[in-house]
Amino acid sequence: MVLTGAEIVVACLKEQGVDTVFGYPGGAILNIYDALYKHADEIRHILTSHEQGASHAADGYARATGKVGVCIATSGPGATNLVTGIATAYMDSIPMVAITCNVGTSLLGKDSFQEIDIAGVVMPITKYSFIVKDVRDLAKVIRRAFSIAKSGRPGPVLVDITKDATANTTEYIQQVPDVILPDTAAITDEDLHTAAELIKEAKRPMIFVGGGAIAADASEELLEFAEKINAPVCDTLMGKGAFSGEHPLYAGMLGMHGTKYANFGVTHCDLLIAIGTRFSDRVFGNAAKFAQNAKVLQIDVDPAEIDKNIRTTASVIGDVKEVLKRLNPMIGQYDHKEWVEHIEELKLKFPLKYNLDGLTGPYVVEEIYRVTKGDAIITTEVGQHQMWAAQYYKYSKPRQLLTSGGLGTMGYGLGAALGAKTARPDKTVINIAGDGCFRMNMNELATASRYNIPVIEVVINNHVLGMVRQWQTLFYGGRYSATVLNDKVDFVKVAEALGCKGIRVTKKEEVGPALEEAIAHGGPVLLDCQIDCDDKVFPMVPAGAAIEDAFDEDDLKKKEM
């Protein structure tokens, strides 16, 4: 059949099973919006308050489901407003397709109104970026974009389409999408046997898991692996839920704000098995002192990650699920009772703890965990509240914690929550935010109220930029440059003005009832939880220090004495 380019875009989205797109219209993309209007019963369009919110919503949709998230925007500033969200998805390996439209082909390169070379702009932060000038290429490019986004190490792809390509017509033939098979080409028997031998020889193995295990849907294989070799498991921020936080072998998060027992465990293990993690600087601290006593076995789909930050003893390159499927039958049932008991002793000696007097961020997170029975999808912004959400909520399943790990994007969480709730209406979805982050994306509460998307926005409000202030307190002599937010902005009134319910929380005993009221409300709700401006995230590893140098409040008091 003969279709316009705009109709081909919609037809290709339907081919790929897309049921929701997030976006914001403009002149250059009007033809696509006209086509979406005609197919509104098949593809739901969520009009966000800002294009950045659309990109974060598409990202949240993808993280919550494992499917490709889709966002769309017009040319020029509409397209550039997607950039932060595209970069966020790229850093965290999230499958996303961003569709933008540009000025007509005859106007390209002439500094036309709202013209920007968006394909060039995003080249370093996408797996691939396309510009389509000929309608005959459009279907092929969109299909390829989805294939690239999903295959191997997932990530975002951008398709920019000139306006005339959306108006012109060509023959369209429907196709069944390609089946994306796990990447197994590089998995060799030799590498597997080497891995199995390292595991057999280890006396103090430690498993370190990242977001790649979630992307590969490898949780069941990971559980079998951990229980077979009887090894403690620690994770990255991105790996939360890949291995249940409620399992006896779980040893918490590793790194700058990880648990002391995870950091000490990695420091003293003799084999570190890294699964689906890229060894971020926030994890290893001082690379020269990281896991000095250990051989390192790395399992990852991306060969570029091997030996990039931490030198390995051996590696297996391939889809994590497929690697573990092949490796599990090759290893025996091992008993590392003394080592596991040692980690248990460290858990007792160095538990996570916080001030129990008054309302604090950790208490709010623990109440969220209690009220939701550990079954909510949690999104976060970036800062102290993000670390508390990682430390004090026990994620038992993958795709429960959606957070910007690599880019550290303030303003990510509320858009991501909208995407997650749209994708998973059966789940309670709560965004844990700081007041600084909330100021960056509070306009998306209007999106929540427009569509009555019942997300819960929990603002841990300390009237400062908390994490930056923490660094200023500890390392900059208490010089609080541009971090105090103690002004007259009333978040409850803001929420109400944007069509949402607002609840202020100032005491510990108010948190649980407020959460229960918010869940029962059935619409979007904001909780403004007022905490002290000097509450801090502990443990902490100073930048560039060894992870075994983690300190907490007790250590600071001893040092002062």
Side-chain angles (χ1 to χ4, degrees):
M1 71 185 90
V2 176
L3 298 178
T4 66
E7 290 167 338
I8 288 171
V9 170
V10 173
C12 287
L13 291 178
K14 288 161 59 179
E15 272 184 11
Q16 298 292 331
V18 174
D19 55 20
T20 306
V21 297
F22 305 88
Y24 206 98
I29 202 170
L30 271 179
N31 290 332
I32 289 179
Y33 269 85
D34 193 48
L36 281 171
Y37 182 86
K38 299 169 185 175
H39 294 272
D41 58 333
E42 297 167 284
I43 297 178
R44 184 185 187 192
H45 177 273
I46 302 292
L47 173 65
T48 53
S49 298
H50 191 284
E51 289 93 349
Q52 186 173 325
S55 63
H56 294 325
D59 176 304
Y61 183 100
R63 294 192 203 220
T65 62
K67 296 164 62 177
V68 177
V70 180
C71 57
I72 59 177
T74 196
S75 64
T80 58
N81 281 342
L82 296 177
V83 169
T84 297
I86 292 170
T88 301
Y90 182 74
M91 291 290 283
D92 290 343
S93 303
I94 305 303
M96 186 167 83
V97 170
I99 297 173
T100 56
C101 284
N102 217 319
V103 299
T105 304
S106 63
L107 297 174
L108 287 175
K110 298 180 179 179
D111 295 331
S112 303
F113 178 67
Q114 291 192 334
E115 179 200 356
I116 196 80
D117 177 14
I118 191 63
V121 169
V122 302
M123 194 177 294
I125 54 168
T126 53
K127 287 187 74 177
Y128 210 98
S129 60
F130 298 89
I131 180 165
V132 181
K133 304 174 187 177
D134 188 332
V135 68
R136 292 170 295 183
D137 298 328
L138 190 50
K140 177 178 64 178
V141 167
I142 291 175
R143 290 164 183 153
R144 190 174 170 207
F146 276 84
S147 178
I148 292 170
K150 291 185 286 187
S151 61
R153 180 177 182 169
V157 178
L158 178 125
V159 179
D160 191 35
I161 313 166
T162 59
K163 187 169 184 179
D164 53 302
T166 67
N168 293 337
T169 61
T170 192
E171 184 73 20
Y172 164 77
I173 300 172
Q174 185 176 355
Q175 289 186 11
V176 176
D178 294 335
V179 176
I180 306 299
L181 298 174
D183 194 337
T184 61
I187 304 174
T188 68
D189 289 342
E190 182 181 356
D191 288 343
L192 291 169
H193 283 294
T194 301
E197 196 62 29
L198 285 172
I199 293 165
K200 181 180 178 181
E201 294 170 354
K203 304 294 185 225
R204 301 184 306 280
M206 191 94 177
I207 298 170
F208 173 42
V209 61
I214 294 173
D217 190 27
S219 292
E220 290 183 13
E221 291 77 12
L222 176 63
L223 175 61
E224 180 185 349
F225 180 71
E227 291 182 341
K228 283 192 83 170
I229 68 173
N230 189 219
V233 181
C234 60
D235 56 19
T236 67
L237 183 66
M238 296 304 303
K240 288 285 175 188
F243 188 82
S244 173
E246 297 171 340
H247 195 283
L249 288 173
Y250 181 66
M253 185 170 68
L254 185 69
M256 180 174 282
H257 292 294
T259 62
K260 278 192 173 185
Y261 38 91
N263 286 359
F264 293 163
V266 168
T267 300
H268 298 296
C269 72
D270 65 358
L271 176 65
L272 180 62
I273 307 165
I275 301 175
T277 177
R278 61 186 178 85
F279 285 117
S280 160
D281 59 295
R282 286 298 174 103
V283 161
F284 63 72
N286 185 327
K289 296 182 179 180
F290 181 78
Q292 282 182 293
N293 303 301
K295 295 178 180 179
V296 177
L297 168 62
Q298 187 171 1
I299 301 171
D300 203 281
V301 74
D302 186 353
E305 294 300 339
I306 309 301
D307 295 329
K308 185 176 81 173
N309 293 327
I310 299 296
R311 296 293 298 178
T312 60
T313 308
S315 62
V316 185
I317 298 169
D319 179 84
V320 167
K321 186 183 186 78
E322 290 299 312
V323 171
L324 292 179
K325 274 185 178 180
R326 299 184 192 188
L327 187 57
N328 280 338
M330 298 172 63
I331 57 178
Q333 179 64 57
Y334 299 115
D335 183 3
H336 299 108
K337 182 181 178 184
E338 289 185 9
W339 171 238
V340 171
E341 287 179 349
H342 174 66
I343 299 298
E344 285 300 314
E345 290 169 4
L346 292 177
K347 288 182 186 180
L348 294 173
K349 187 176 181 180
F350 302 111
L352 289 172
K353 58 183 179 179
Y354 60 90
N355 182 8
L356 298 176
D357 298 326
L359 183 59
T360 64
Y363 179 81
V364 172
V365 174
E366 286 191 329
E367 280 294 276
I368 292 172
Y369 177 75
R370 182 188 66 80
V371 171
T372 62
K373 298 180 175 63
D375 194 39
I377 292 175
I378 304 296
T379 68
T380 81
E381 306 294 344
V382 173
Q384 288 179 315
H385 59 277
Q386 178 189 33
M387 294 298 102
W388 288 325
Q391 292 173 330
Y392 291 96
Y393 198 101
K394 297 176 183 177
Y395 301 93
S396 60
K397 295 180 287 293
R399 307 194 182 280
Q400 271 195 282
L401 176 63
L402 319 182
T403 189
S404 173
L407 195 63
T409 305
M410 295 175 69
Y412 165 81
L414 182 51
L418 296 174
K421 186 64 178 179
T422 303
R424 298 294 309 276
D426 56 312
K427 289 290 184 183
T428 297
V429 177
I430 298 176
N431 182 45
I432 300 176
D435 48 318
C437 294
F438 177 60
R439 291 164 184 261
M440 292 193 174
N441 68 359
M442 62 172 71
N443 52 350
E444 295 305 338
L445 283 181
T447 308
S449 65
R450 180 184 300 117
Y451 296 99
N452 196 35
I453 303 172
V455 294
I456 299 170
E457 175 86 352
V458 177
V459 182
I460 310 294
N461 188 356
N462 54 10
H463 299 281
V464 295
L465 298 177
M467 187 61 87
V468 185
R469 181 184 177 89
Q470 177 166 329
W471 279 62
Q472 288 173 330
T473 301
L474 296 173
F475 308 119
Y476 289 85
R479 296 181 293 278
Y480 301 120
S481 175
T483 52
V484 178
L485 305 176
N486 197 13
D487 51 31
K488 297 180 181 180
V489 177
D490 186 325
F491 292 160
V492 170
K493 289 183 178 178
V494 167
E496 291 171 347
L498 293 174
C500 304
K501 184 178 181 65
I503 304 172
R504 196 166 343 265
V505 175
T506 59
K507 301 175 183 176
K508 290 173 72 173
E509 56 268 27
E510 296 172 346
V511 177
L515 285 166
E516 289 167 355
E517 181 181 350
I519 292 170
H521 177 63
V525 180
L526 175 137
L527 271 60
D528 179 14
C529 300
Q530 306 270 335
I531 71 165
D532 188 84
C533 67
D534 281 314
D535 282 359
K536 294 179 177 61
V537 177
F538 289 116
M540 182 176 186
V541 178
I547 59 171
E548 63 182 319
D549 294 334
F551 65 90
D552 56 23
E553 204 159 17
D554 291 341
D555 295 322
L556 285 179
K557 289 176 181 176
K558 290 175 186 175
K559 187 176 181 180
E560 289 171 2
M561 291 172 62

